[in-house]
Amino acid sequence: MNIILLGPPGAGKEHSGGADREERKMVQLSTGAMLRAAVAAGTEIGKKADAIMKSGGLVSDDIVIGIINDRIDEPDCQGGFILDGFPRTLPQAAALDKLLQQKGKKLDKVVEIKVDDAALVDRISGRFSCAKCGAGYHDRHKPTKTPGVCDNCGATEFTRRADDNAETVKSRLMAYYRETAPLIGYYFAKEKLQSVDGMAPIDEVTSQINAALG
Ligand code: AMP
C-alpha cells in the first residue's frame, strides 16, 4: 500500500504515521528528514536547500521530485511507502502521479491530518526529539518523564529543528496554505482523500490513521 500523509507543519505527520507500518512492511519517507540529512552531510542538494529551509520556504520541485523518484526504487519501498511532507505543491502531485504510473505503482490513499490553526504554532515551538532513537517530545505537552532522559532509550542528548522557531513557523504555515492546502481538493477529486482528527491524542491519531488505511 502506498499512501500520503497530508497536513500542515505541526500536524504530527512524522510521529503519528509510525504504528503498524512495520507490520504492513511500509517505509515512511520524509522529504524534510532527507533534506535535513543532506544539509548535515553538506551535499550539493543540502547546500541548495539549507537557506530555503531556514527561511521556512519550499525547496524547488525538481529537487524533491528527484529525491522521491530515486528513493521509491529502493528495495525497502517495494512493500509500500508512506509519503510524509511530499507532495507539497500541485506540480509535485502531478509529477508523483506520473512517476508512479511509469513505475507501475499506484497511490492507494491520502490521509489528511486536520489540526486547528491556533494549535500549530504552539505545537511546533517546543518540539524536540531524542538524538539517538528519534522519539518525539514537547516542552509543555509531552516532556520526558525524567528531565533530560529519553523515556524510550535512556539517551541524554536531544535535538531541536533549526526551523522550529516562532518566526520560521509562520513562513512555513504560509507556504502550507499557499502551496500545499490545494492538494486536499486535488486528492478529494481523485477520491483518494480520508481525513483524521489531528487534535486527538497522538495514539488515537495513529489508530485513526491505521483505521483509514483499512
Ligand atoms: P518538514 O520536515 O516536512 O516540515 O520539512 C522541512 C522543510 O524542508 C520545509 O519547510 C521545506 O523547506 C523543505 N521541504 C520538505 N519537503 C518538501 C517538499 N516536498 N517540497 C519543498 N520543500 C520541502
Side-chain angles (χ1 to χ4, degrees), residues 40 53 86 88 110 127 158 181:
M53 291 172 76
F86 179 91
R88 245 180 167 95
V110 177
R127 295 200 295 198
F158 295 88

Side-chain angles (χ1 to χ4, degrees), residues 183-193:
L183 298 185
I184 295 169
Y186 180 85
Y187 289 117
F188 175 77
K190 283 178 171 280
E191 299 182 358
K192 299 281 186 201
L193 193 73

Side-chain angles (χ1 to χ4, degrees), residues 190-213:
K190 283 178 171 280
E191 299 182 358
K192 299 281 186 201
L193 193 73
Q194 255 179 286
S195 301
V196 300
D197 174 16
M199 296 305 290
I202 189 138
D203 293 348
E204 186 169 329
V205 180
T206 305
S207 344
Q208 283 190 34
I209 294 174
N210 289 331
L213 299 186

Side-chain angles (χ1 to χ4, degrees), residues 53-76:
M53 291 172 76
K54 282 199 181 110
S55 74
L58 292 184
V59 174
S60 82
D61 288 339
D62 289 352
I63 290 182
V64 287
I65 292 164
I67 292 178
I68 288 295
N69 189 27
D70 293 345
R71 183 67 183 85
I72 61 182
D73 284 338
E74 286 178 30
D76 62 340

